Amino acid sequence: MENLEDLKILAEQWSHQGIEYLQKIPPTQLYVAIGVLLLTTILFLLSIRLFRRTKSNTVLLSGLSGSGKTVLFYQLRDGSSHQGTVTSMEPNEGTFILHSEKAKKGKIKPVHLVDVPGHSRLRPKLEEFLPQAAAIVFVVDALEFLPNCRAASEYLYDILTNANVVKKKIPVLLCCNKTDKLTAHTKEFIRKQMEKEIEKLRASRSAISTADIANDFTIGIEGEVFSFSHCYNKVIVAEASGLNGETVQVQDFIREYIKP
Amino acid sequence: MLEQLLIFTRGGLILWTCKEIGNALKGSPIDTLIRSCLLEERSGDVSFNYDAHGAAYTLKWTFHNDLGLVFVAVYQRILHLLYVDDLLSVVKQSFSEIYDPKRMAYDDFDETFRQLRKEAEARAEELRKTKQVVGKPVSSVKKQGQVSKAGLEGGNKKMSEGGSKKDDGDGNKAKVGNLTNGHSNGNHRMEDDSQKTDLANGKENTTDNVALDLSKLQKLRSKGVRGRGGIRKADSIGNKGSKVTAAEPAKKATKKNRVWDDAAPKKEKLDFTDSVDENGSNDHVDIAAADQGESMMDKEEVFSSDSESEDDDEPGSDEKPEAKKKGWFSSVFQSITGKANLERTDLEQPLKALKERLMTKNVAEEIAGKLCESVEASLEGKKLASFTRISSTVQGAMEDALIRILTPTRSIDILRDVHAAKEQRRPYVVVFVGVNGVGKSTNLAKVAYWLLQHKVSVMMAACDTFRSGAVEQLRTHARRLQVPIFEKGYEKDPAVVAKEAIQEATRNGSDVVLVDTAGRMQDNEPLMRALSKLINLNNPDLVLFVGEALVGNEAVDQLSKFNQKLSDLSTSGNTRLIDGILLTKFDTIDDKVGAALSMVYISGAPVMFVGCGQSYPDLKKLNVKAIVKTLLK
Ligand SMILES: Nc1nc2c(ncn2[C@@H]2O[C@H](COP(=O)(O)OP(=O)(O)OP(=O)(O)O)[C@@H](O)[C@H]2O)c(=O)[nH]1
Ligand SMILES: [Mg+2]
């Protein structure tokens, strides 16, 4: 009890001293100090808000060069591939609501779509975007599939074993593109072939751990033939034709993970 | 006639093409241009030749870096259009005025283009006339006159130097000097006669020749096989080149000696070059020694980033003092507001500093120059971001470029390839090639050691039937590693020995055959012919170039000549070039890692292994990020 009284007196003394001290300071300085204090707190709160936005809305389009990512990007954004494309030298990026949703009423959450160039010299770019990805669309050229099967599988393997993808269980859509052409392979065939390739990679890559090719994790189940269902994250197979605008399955996939 | 003019974004969306020209391009020149020139850090070049699908196009391009646009003109090479550079630059200017990132169709540009083209054609015609009328034209006209004369021989540097610099508005003063300078360097795309006259002029020097080789190689890479005329031409140049570089070997020898001394204390460990004698008196070499632990290929490398923090401050100190004085304040101000647009003059200083820095890291001068040109092309006209300095922007762009170059374009997962070959029931064949004394056999043994650790059965083939002692040296390694060795003494043709070795390996079920070949100087015609024969006859899965990490400017010469000779001397239809690089003596070079960059840039082949010591496990993969960091430190 007495202690409390003592404390009270002490506090009063201090507050007196404090006020006296404040009065000694010229008012301009005081205002500046208060201003700075306010500013920092506002900035602090803002930054917290920014970092708190855990729900990312980023979807990555990846895949080998020429698989049709850029066409797909503009299909999803504008509903048209305009006058065609050439090999990308830089990523295409945009935050928008999908073209097909334009007619819909109400507030729709926009998607941040990134088309990462497939040229192998530009691969390191993907790593920059992976940490913020909520979902990945891996585009495969179903027309020219066989000659590219191995390269595509290696690329996909690198993605599936990436630390970000494994830890955050980022879902991957294996999108077999260019199905408008009759000679395009079916998605079943493509899935099987790629699983086979990845099985081989698993054998050779588990042996090497390189400093460069950052295979952070291994995938699949020990002693079993690899299947995409063994992955920690979801791997779904779909078909699309960027050129003809048949992208329903891709849109559904995106909207499953980026709720409107 | 202009075949096509395209405007597209760096993201790859075509914004506008000239519809009235109409006829479709043969093949895919644009994609090829992007893949094998612009993305290979060669955008500083003047033009790109595309030969495929029966087309012989020349492509020229210009960037609008601030808007992220690319303008490409395609025309038939035989036509030597003189107005292309001019046209590109006016098109760039007018298009950038109407460009809006939200707009995707620019049909209204058709009319503008028609006008611009007419004007450009008229200007070119005008110039041609004035050239004919006036004997000695003045200043800029003179420049153009020269251009049209030399330009007739094909797209060349001078031309666009005139053209592209013009629109900068930075005057003509510097250009005359530049022209004469560029003369010896920029002629590499001209045809026979002009090359010869140029050589006769005595203007050439070693780097010049390298420049020739370089561009030729590049052409070769995109083209695959070359015609007969090309071979003749290359030969004549090759000979000239050999004369010029004749003085080199002496220099090289001394250099090597010095290195030997450095490495002397450790040397005896793996090098059996001298210690062997035929009678097997070294039978006692203890086999157990072969188990020296895990190959470093498999170890995660921890890269010590020594002085990362000072990275950003450094460029300043490299700049000239007066540049520094010019205003700390204004530079701070600029960095906050974000400066208007980067101009060529802004980039000069930092790029020069950067080039010098690269050269102190032992990057070949030529390549450092080319890289800087490419970075310059990608930055010119770009807006400087807020809170950044020019030097750090340049450094960032260079870093991106370096990472792009060093990132392998093809898989370097040898084990995967070995397994694939195994499925086809054939051995995977690796041929080790290189100049003398770089450590081919030693590193072959290291690769064998690494493969053995991954349960791959290995056979060595001693195809160095040239240097005495070579077979014994390899035998010693084979004994220590307990792998079979195929040898036929010194009499035989190495190509035949290799063939028999591969047959033997197929019989006894070896997974991999490692073929050791004689070291040879790149100018040694008979030996190069023998190597070409070996490679053509056996069609190996991997031609691995073994090179010293110590080489500087010479790296360019070695690799380009090797590749060139291999293609010139190839007999079969499909030319085999170097597929991969093994860098040796990486432990002796400290931070002078430039050879890795030079070699990769020149050959386009990835560094697959790095030899970094004297024992079997001392074999690593190249850590691209670490190398880039070291190069820019
Ligand atoms: N038939 C058909 N062709 C397509 C389709 N989608 C894309 N293409 C063609 O494929 C080529 C490459 O398409 P891009 O979108 O530029 O390829 P990309 O994946 O962006 O390639 P990079 O930018 O190099 O990574 C173009 O010529 C397209 O016309 C499709 O659905 N069907
Ligand atoms: Mg693209």
Side-chain angles (χ1 to χ4, degrees):
Chain A
M1 269 298 170
E2 268 174 281
N3 270 349
L4 219 75
E5 285 295 279
D6 281 352
L7 274 179
K8 222 174 180 178
I9 293 164
L10 213 71
E12 250 164 48
Q13 272 176 356
W14 278 351
S15 67
H16 271 295
Q17 272 175 3
I19 289 167
E20 263 170 43
Y21 184 70
L22 274 182
Q23 276 161 353
K24 270 188 224 153
I25 304 171
T28 39
Q29 265 186 37
L30 208 68
Y31 293 141
V32 169
I34 291 169
V36 167
L37 206 75
L38 273 175
L39 208 77
T40 40
T41 40
I42 286 170
L43 278 180
F44 182 70
L45 288 176
L46 265 180
S47 64
I48 278 191
R49 270 197 71 126
L50 277 178
F51 285 113
R52 273 278 183 78
R53 226 182 54 190
T54 43
K55 269 268 184 261
S56 155
N57 62 342
T58 302
V59 177
L60 302 186
L61 288 172
S62 64
L64 294 186
S65 186
S67 53
K69 298 176 295 297
T70 307
V71 171
L72 207 56
F73 178 90
Y74 284 101
Q75 265 311 340
L76 292 171
R77 198 186 83 171
D78 305 333
S80 151
S81 58
H82 304 293
Q83 298 159 68
T85 59
V86 294
T87 305
S88 307
M89 292 190 267
E90 267 170 24
N92 291 298
E93 221 175 317
T95 307
F96 46 81
I97 54 169
L98 303 179
H99 182 73
S100 58
E101 297 164 343
K102 288 252 163 73
K104 280 187 202 159
K105 292 242 171 66
K107 205 162 168 280
I108 304 172
K109 187 175 175 187
V111 180
H112 178 219
L113 195 62
V114 186
D115 156 33
V116 190
H119 191 279
S120 42
R121 294 243 188 257
L122 300 172
R123 288 281 168 82
K125 274 266 174 283
L126 184 73
E127 266 170 59
E128 287 172 26
F129 290 106
L130 276 177
Q132 39 170 317
I136 300 171
V137 178
F138 188 87
V139 186
V140 180
D141 183 345
L143 212 56
E144 287 284 302
F145 172 66
L146 285 175
N148 294 319
C149 174
R150 205 181 130 187
S153 306
E154 266 174 54
Y155 193 11
L156 182 59
Y157 180 87
D158 287 344
I159 291 175
L160 290 177
T161 54
N162 180 283
N164 283 300
V165 177
V166 173
K167 277 195 202 139
K168 290 199 235 152
K169 298 204 168 102
I170 303 175
V172 173
L173 181 79
L174 186 59
C175 172
C176 307
N177 195 23
K178 310 197 184 180
T179 46
D180 49 293
K181 287 275 191 319
L182 278 174
T183 47
H185 292 280
T186 62
K187 64 178 185 182
E188 276 317 302
F189 177 79
I190 288 174
R191 183 179 61 77
K192 283 215 186 83
Q193 291 297 317
M194 289 188 79
E195 279 177 348
K196 248 189 228 166
E197 269 307 316
I198 289 180
E199 170 67 20
K200 287 175 198 160
L201 280 173
R202 215 155 63 100
S204 73
R205 289 284 175 90
S206 64
I208 348 168
S209 59
T210 53
D212 264 357
I213 313 167
N215 288 143
D216 309 306
F217 287 83
T218 53
I219 46 170
I221 299 168
E222 195 75 28
E224 267 184 64
V225 177
F226 178 77
S227 146
F228 283 126
S229 59
H230 295 168
C231 290
Y232 309 99
N233 51 334
K234 230 188 199 142
V235 182
I236 308 154
V237 191
E239 285 179 343
S241 162
L243 218 53
N244 288 4
E246 290 156 24
T247 56
V248 189
Q249 294 179 29
V250 181
Q251 291 177 35
D252 289 348
F253 171 78
I254 291 175
R255 277 313 178 191
E256 188 175 341
Y257 294 98
I258 317 267
K259 291 284 179 234
Chain B
M1 268 297 272
L2 199 65
E3 288 290 309
Q4 188 52 279
L5 196 140
L6 286 97
I7 304 174
F8 53 88
T9 66
R10 289 184 75 87
L13 185 74
I14 297 174
L15 294 174
W16 184 85
T17 58
C18 182
K19 281 145 220 114
E20 89 190 55
I21 299 173
N23 47 344
L25 294 172
K26 289 185 209 149
S28 45
I30 309 288
D31 283 332
T32 314
L33 167 75
I34 295 171
R35 284 175 202 184
S36 50
C37 178
L38 303 188
L39 285 178
E40 297 282 332
E41 304 312 321
R42 283 168 168 92
S43 38
D45 283 5
V46 169
S47 60
F48 176 78
N49 289 343
Y50 178 81
D51 305 78
H53 302 272
Y57 294 136
T58 294
L59 287 84
K60 294 201 169 203
W61 59 92
T62 180
F63 296 143
H64 195 299
N65 289 313
D66 193 32
L67 301 177
L69 299 178
V70 185
F71 302 76
V72 178
V74 187
Y75 59 95
Q76 296 279 1
R77 187 154 337 123
I78 41 163
L79 288 175
H80 313 302
L81 295 187
L82 299 178
Y83 60 84
V84 174
D85 289 303
D86 184 23
L87 182 65
L88 274 175
S89 83
V90 290
V91 164
K92 168 163 121 181
Q93 224 213 317
S94 351
F95 190 81
S96 59
E97 276 159 21
I98 60 164
Y99 176 66
D100 172 7
K102 291 196 196 72
R103 205 173 132 195
M104 300 294 149
Y106 293 87
D107 290 335
D108 54 329
F109 192 67
D110 293 356
E111 189 48 50
T112 321
F113 177 73
R114 203 170 299 140
Q115 197 61 35
L116 290 174
R117 186 173 165 196
K118 218 179 270 165
E119 284 168 18
E121 276 171 349
R123 271 197 298 275
E125 186 65 15
E126 189 91 334
L127 272 172
R128 213 169 51 84
K129 275 192 198 136
T130 44
K131 198 198 109 208
Q132 280 167 350
V133 174
V134 188
K136 281 214 168 102
V138 260
S139 75
S140 73
V141 186
K142 175 175 167 192
K143 187 181 63 203
Q144 289 287 349
Q146 268 184 340
V147 167
S148 49
K149 220 195 304 172
L152 285 174
E153 294 298 338
N156 63 46
K157 199 159 209 144
K158 273 172 280 174
M159 180 143 173
S160 90
E161 223 143 48
S164 66
K165 280 200 179 161
K166 199 167 31 194
D167 59 56
D168 299 340
D170 70 340
N172 305 324
K173 305 144 247 162
K175 235 155 286 160
V176 184
N178 217 323
L179 280 176
T180 39
N181 246 331
H183 191 55
S184 49
N185 251 325
N187 67 347
H188 53 257
R189 279 169 203 273
M190 291 193 221
E191 299 307 325
D192 280 21
D193 338 21
S194 65
Q195 250 167 22
K196 267 181 208 137
T197 50
D198 217 58
L199 289 171
N201 277 344
K203 262 190 197 160
E204 93 276 24
N205 49 31
T206 338
T207 31
D208 248 13
N209 265 300
V210 173
L212 293 173
D213 295 342
L214 218 160
S215 65
K216 194 161 289 135
L217 221 89
Q218 209 181 312
K219 238 194 299 182
L220 212 147
R221 244 202 295 164
S222 54
K223 211 163 66 168
V225 202
R226 59 191 311 132
R228 213 170 260 163
I231 292 176
R232 187 172 47 80
K233 186 175 64 186
D235 269 354
S236 75
I237 293 160
N239 289 338
K240 286 262 158 76
S242 65
K243 243 177 259 160
V244 176
T245 48
E248 292 282 284
K251 212 169 74 202
K252 167 130 210 255
T254 55
K255 195 164 70 189
K256 216 185 302 160
N257 279 341
R258 193 185 62 226
V259 175
W260 246 181
D261 288 343
D262 282 352
K266 291 187 273 174
K267 181 180 159 192
E268 64 272 73
K269 244 187 154 176
L270 264 192
D271 198 334
F272 304 118
T273 327
D274 316 312
S275 71
V276 279
D277 54 350
E278 186 98 55
N279 308 329
S281 67
N282 53 352
D283 264 0
H284 60 270
V285 175
D286 68 318
I287 285 161
D291 188 29
Q292 296 179 0
E294 197 186 4
S295 173
M296 281 159 79
M297 278 293 281
D298 305 335
K299 284 190 187 135
E300 206 74 40
E301 186 177 345
V302 186
F303 176 62
S304 57
S305 49
D306 321 337
S307 50
E308 252 175 276
S309 52
E310 39 181 61
D311 270 10
D312 293 306
D313 303 305
E314 249 212 276
S317 61
D318 284 353
E319 283 159 21
K320 292 232 174 84
E322 75 240 36
K324 216 176 190 173
K325 244 186 270 163
K326 203 173 77 191
W328 172 87
F329 179 78
S330 73
S331 88
V332 166
F333 183 74
Q334 277 182 5
S335 72
I336 290 175
T337 53
K339 204 195 155 239
N341 281 10
L342 282 172
E343 276 170 34
R344 208 172 266 250
T345 41
D346 300 327
L347 295 168
E348 226 161 66
Q349 263 303 325
L351 275 174
K352 208 168 138 227
L354 204 55
K355 182 177 171 191
E356 264 150 33
R357 185 149 13 129
L358 285 176
M359 280 163 64
T360 61
K361 298 287 156 54
N362 219 4
V363 176
E365 178 174 4
E366 157 124 32
I367 286 161
K370 285 217 153 219
L371 277 168
C372 287
E373 275 173 28
S374 163
V375 167
E376 182 178 15
S378 75
L379 283 181
E380 197 192 341
K382 201 168 185 154
K383 261 210 185 61
L384 200 61
S386 303
F387 296 107
T388 50
R389 290 181 7 193
I390 296 181
S391 53
S392 50
T393 309
V394 171
Q395 172 133 349
M398 180 59 86
E399 188 176 335
D400 285 351
L402 292 179
I403 289 181
R404 275 200 295 274
I405 292 183
L406 288 169
T407 305
T409 45
R410 49 184 217 92
S411 161
I412 55 169
D413 186 356
I414 291 194
L415 288 174
R416 170 70 192 83
D417 293 324
V418 171
H419 288 301
K422 204 171 175 178
E423 274 165 28
Q424 298 169 23
R425 300 185 183 289
R426 63 178 184 85
Y428 183 83
V429 182
V430 187
V431 175
F432 290 70
V433 305
V435 301
N436 319 74
V438 291
K440 266 188 307 300
S441 312
T442 314
N443 282 283
L444 182 146
K446 287 186 203 168
V447 173
Y449 180 81
W450 173 69
L451 287 170
L452 287 173
Q453 287 198 324
H454 292 296
K455 317 256 178 315
V456 173
S457 62
V458 178
M459 187 171 103
M460 292 183 184
C463 298
D464 183 352
T465 58
F466 185 71
R467 181 173 64 86
S468 65
V471 175
E472 289 78 9
Q473 184 192 358
L474 201 66
R475 196 186 295 150
T476 315
H477 283 303
R479 196 173 296 137
R480 289 184 74 180
L481 294 169
Q482 290 182 291
V483 301
I485 178 170
F486 188 89
E487 49 169 304
K488 277 274 146 66
Y490 290 98
E491 298 306 311
K492 282 262 207 148
D493 178 356
V496 178
V497 179
K499 184 153 199 80
E500 288 172 9
I502 294 167
Q503 283 163 357
E504 171 68 20
T506 316
R507 258 196 303 280
N508 70 17
S510 295
D511 300 329
V512 177
V513 181
L514 301 177
V515 180
D516 189 27
T517 66
R520 60 203 82 211
M521 294 312 288
Q522 60 273 26
D523 297 314
N524 187 326
E525 195 75 21
L527 279 180
M528 287 309 295
R529 200 175 292 278
L531 182 65
S532 179
K533 184 180 172 197
L534 189 151
I535 288 171
N536 276 307
L537 188 68
N538 295 296
N539 196 20
D541 298 271
L542 185 71
V543 179
L544 201 60
F545 180 86
V546 184
E548 267 178 1
L550 311 155
V551 296
N553 286 320
E554 217 182 326
V556 178
D557 195 48
Q558 281 181 8
L559 260 163
S560 52
K561 289 246 175 76
F562 255 86
N563 255 342
Q564 201 182 328
K565 288 273 158 60
L566 283 183
S567 73
D568 288 352
L569 300 174
S570 101
T571 46
S572 62
N574 59 332
T575 309
R576 280 302 299 270
L577 299 179
I578 288 161
D579 304 308
I581 297 165
L582 192 160
L583 270 181
T584 67
K585 307 183 187 171
F586 210 69
D587 51 327
T588 64
I589 52 162
D590 197 24
D591 67 343
K592 304 215 178 308
V593 294
L597 181 67
S598 304
M599 290 187 179
V600 170
Y601 187 90
I602 279 294
S603 66
V607 174
M608 307 185 89
F609 301 98
V610 174
C612 55
Q614 296 289 318
S615 54
Y616 287 128
D618 291 335
L619 194 66
K620 286 196 298 191
K621 291 215 158 153
L622 189 74
N623 184 335
V624 173
K625 286 190 188 120
I627 294 279
V628 171
K629 221 166 241 169
T630 316
L631 280 171
L632 292 175
K633 205 161 62 194

